[in-house]
Amino acid sequence: MKILKYIKTNVLIYFLIGMFLNSGLSLIKPLLLERLLVIQEDQLTLDMVLSFILYGFCLHLIFYSTMLLANFVSNNLQRHLQLRLKNQLFRKLFLEDAFIDDEKVSIVTQEMELLYDQFFLPLDLIIGKSFILFTTIVFILWQNLWLGLFFVAFSLLRPLPQWLMNSRLNNSGAAFSKNQKNFHLSVGDFFRGADTFYFYGVAREKMSMLEKYNEDYENARWRNEWTNNIVFFFNGPIEFFSQVLPLALGLVMQERGAELTTAGLIAMYIATMNINGPLQSIMYSVSDIQRSGVVRERIFSILEDSSVEYSYHTVDNVSELVLENVSKNIGERILFQNLSLNLSQPSKVLIKGASGTGKSTLLRIIAGKIRPDTGRLYVRTSKGEEFSQFQGNIAYISQHPFFTHGTIRDNLTFGQEFSDKQLLYYLDQVGLTGEIPSILDYHLINNGENISGGQRLRLELVRCLLREKDIVLADEITAALDRENAKRVRQLLSSLPIILVEVAHHIDSEMHYDQMINLKDYR
């Protein structure tokens, strides 16, 4: 029922109407046979044959037209649902730190595809087949109520083996999903860490571990499929009870003078076979849905978690950044406590300290990526207004910036409107125009591996300059630069009317700071 909130009402109504209209598709053969069997051989004429052909043509045209309509509304529902769910997952997972990047990619791609194949499509099929099942049962009962009840009752025993083995099916499905996830993550680690494993001489061990994950995954798949095969083995005896015994009972009723024609009896028998088909499809679909349990719960727990959502607020006319008694611990280890800062625009502050003292953590707290354990952060405008949400005013310059596959122009603009003149102006400011030919059209690959670390950092700085942020957080930004480019970058930052909060191990004697904070003083 959780998926209903992601489906527009009109899309759902069209879907149900299409499924209802399609439900008569299974009656083509019973209706044709019934019409055929009432034709007496001694009364057979060319007109009757032509009438039969026309009748059959109309049946096929009508019911296959409704099938086309049903497929259209079904495909439209799946498209609509996939778009809304994936778009929601994009928003929920965008800045969520509870999942690593590979997990996020896996959730939106592989797990959503798995959910589509093992939950949405089977659920769609169950609804469609249920309509067909209902129409077929009504047709059978219409022929002869009491005999029809026997046909229907025995046919509805088909799901009994699956119900009896429901717990085993659920467990095998959960084991399959768990091993599938572990295998996918291990494959990703294996190939991304290939160089590391090679140079440390552990390739053989890592390959053995991957082979073990692969074996566990394939064994879980085999056990899951075998469990399903056992369930469907027991369908054979039940099919005997649902088809042969009621047919024999119908013959006995005919022999004893019941008002039951051979044409009606055969139509009921053929229709009963059409009960078994939808029932078997429903059983397979229920099995698929059971296998999707782990993935289904994982995805819907993300979708239903109201706390997992990114926000991006921009405040106009920022004049101050204020930190009041901010503290942060990791487990029992204190990084810093009761840290207070009041930074007016423009100002430059250096946060220093040894590795592991929480410098980068403090920047992430200011950026809104991590919440402090105590204290509050906010910006104050020139009018004295205070805002605790100000992510849109912040630029975060990392020593490991990220670049997509695309041109430098694409990586600077990210789809926003900037003229080439603006781009070239700032690229020249950081000294890149003379280093990279046809710079705006230069193609970056694999997170910018075809340019140097210093060039990547300066491109990140250009991103910041283009957007004229009020607060710039700089994390060891000159560590990868030579002396000349480091000086150029620092002079550029120093000239900007911004609040600069910089993290560094060592003090640059050529850079003037309004404040210097050593985090060891706040432990």
Side-chain angles (χ1 to χ4, degrees), residues 157-340:
L157 291 176
R158 288 291 295 276
L160 183 62
Q162 188 161 355
W163 179 76
L164 293 175
M165 297 187 68
N166 182 65
S167 176
R168 184 171 177 177
L169 285 167
N170 280 331
N171 291 337
S172 65
F176 172 74
S177 296
K178 178 182 177 181
N179 282 281
Q180 183 185 55
K181 174 189 171 184
N182 290 338
F183 175 66
H184 288 161
L185 291 176
S186 298
V187 170
D189 287 343
F190 180 75
F191 289 114
R192 276 189 298 274
D195 286 347
T196 301
F197 303 148
Y198 173 76
F199 288 120
Y200 281 100
V202 296
R204 189 183 302 275
E205 289 79 3
K206 296 302 294 184
M207 196 170 296
S208 296
M209 292 173 63
L210 183 60
E211 290 171 352
K212 180 62 168 61
Y213 279 117
N214 186 30
E215 182 181 2
D216 291 342
Y217 173 40
E218 293 303 329
N219 286 341
R221 187 208 301 273
W222 176 82
R223 283 190 291 270
N224 183 254
E225 296 294 341
W226 179 242
T227 302
N228 282 284
N229 291 335
I230 292 174
V231 169
F232 290 111
F233 164 78
F234 289 103
N235 290 333
I238 293 178
E239 189 171 310
F240 165 78
F241 286 106
S242 65
Q243 293 183 2
V244 179
L245 286 186
L247 186 61
L249 179 61
L251 293 173
V252 172
M253 292 174 64
Q254 273 190 317
E255 190 270 334
R256 297 193 176 184
E259 295 184 4
L260 181 64
T261 64
T262 300
L265 181 60
I266 293 177
M268 293 174 71
Y269 174 73
I270 298 298
T272 302
M273 295 174 65
N274 290 335
I275 285 182
N276 292 335
L279 267 177
Q280 190 167 19
S281 296
I282 289 173
M283 291 164 61
Y284 277 114
S285 298
V286 170
S287 176
D288 284 337
I289 288 175
Q290 289 172 326
R291 286 196 295 175
S292 73
V294 173
V295 173
R296 189 172 69 246
E297 290 301 318
R298 176 179 167 96
I299 288 178
F300 278 102
S301 67
I302 296 170
L303 292 170
E304 299 296 315
D305 188 353
S306 60
S307 66
V308 182
E309 189 71 75
Y310 83 91
S311 59
Y312 193 79
H313 303 275
T314 302
V315 179
D316 295 329
N317 303 315
V318 169
S319 62
E320 291 179 277
L321 169 65
V322 182
L323 284 71
E324 291 183 353
N325 299 317
V326 172
S327 301
K328 185 65 182 178
N329 301 338
I330 296 181
E332 297 182 356
R333 184 165 67 92
I334 299 174
L335 293 182
F336 48 83
Q337 55 185 344
N338 299 322
L339 174 60
S340 296

Side-chain angles (χ1 to χ4, degrees), residues 4-227:
L4 291 178
K5 65 187 293 185
Y6 300 100
I7 304 175
K8 290 184 178 179
T9 304
N10 63 323
V11 174
L12 181 61
I13 291 174
Y14 295 150
F15 170 74
L16 293 176
I17 292 174
M19 293 296 104
F20 173 74
L21 294 176
N22 185 53
S23 64
L25 186 65
S26 63
L27 301 182
I28 292 179
K29 289 182 180 178
L31 290 172
L32 278 175
L33 283 173
E34 187 177 29
R35 181 69 172 263
L36 178 64
L37 291 171
V38 298
I39 298 176
Q40 302 296 323
E41 288 187 21
D42 56 352
Q43 298 176 352
L44 189 61
T45 64
L46 182 59
D47 288 341
M48 295 184 71
V49 173
L50 292 174
S51 175
F52 178 74
I53 292 174
L54 180 61
Y55 177 73
F57 175 76
C58 291
L59 280 180
H60 282 80
L61 180 62
I62 291 171
F63 287 124
Y64 274 85
S65 295
T66 59
M67 182 185 70
L68 180 63
L69 174 63
N71 288 337
F72 173 79
V73 296
S74 174
N75 293 339
N76 183 57
L77 176 66
Q78 295 295 343
R79 177 189 65 85
H80 170 77
L81 194 54
Q82 287 289 311
L83 284 172
R84 302 196 78 181
L85 289 181
K86 286 182 181 177
N87 289 343
Q88 186 72 356
L89 284 174
F90 296 155
R91 294 176 174 84
K92 294 288 187 179
L93 294 173
F94 179 48
L95 295 177
E96 176 54 47
D97 291 327
F99 303 97
I100 62 175
D101 292 341
D102 284 347
E103 284 184 297
K104 294 178 183 180
V105 173
S106 177
I107 289 169
V108 178
T109 56
Q110 295 174 350
E111 294 191 15
M112 277 300 295
E113 285 300 314
L114 186 66
L115 198 67
Y116 176 77
D117 291 333
Q118 295 188 354
F119 180 62
F120 294 125
L121 283 183
L123 190 60
D124 184 313
L125 189 145
I126 287 173
I127 294 172
K129 295 299 183 182
S130 296
F131 275 105
I132 291 175
L133 197 61
F134 174 78
T135 302
T136 305
I137 289 173
V138 170
F139 173 81
I140 292 172
L141 296 178
W142 184 265
Q143 300 295 315
N144 185 287
L145 178 62
W146 295 109
L147 182 59
L149 286 174
F150 275 97
F151 270 111
V152 171
F154 282 117
S155 295
L156 295 179
L157 291 176
R158 288 291 295 276
L160 183 62
Q162 188 161 355
W163 179 76
L164 293 175
M165 297 187 68
N166 182 65
S167 176
R168 184 171 177 177
L169 285 167
N170 280 331
N171 291 337
S172 65
F176 172 74
S177 296
K178 178 182 177 181
N179 282 281
Q180 183 185 55
K181 174 189 171 184
N182 290 338
F183 175 66
H184 288 161
L185 291 176
S186 298
V187 170
D189 287 343
F190 180 75
F191 289 114
R192 276 189 298 274
D195 286 347
T196 301
F197 303 148
Y198 173 76
F199 288 120
Y200 281 100
V202 296
R204 189 183 302 275
E205 289 79 3
K206 296 302 294 184
M207 196 170 296
S208 296
M209 292 173 63
L210 183 60
E211 290 171 352
K212 180 62 168 61
Y213 279 117
N214 186 30
E215 182 181 2
D216 291 342
Y217 173 40
E218 293 303 329
N219 286 341
R221 187 208 301 273
W222 176 82
R223 283 190 291 270
N224 183 254
E225 296 294 341
W226 179 242
T227 302

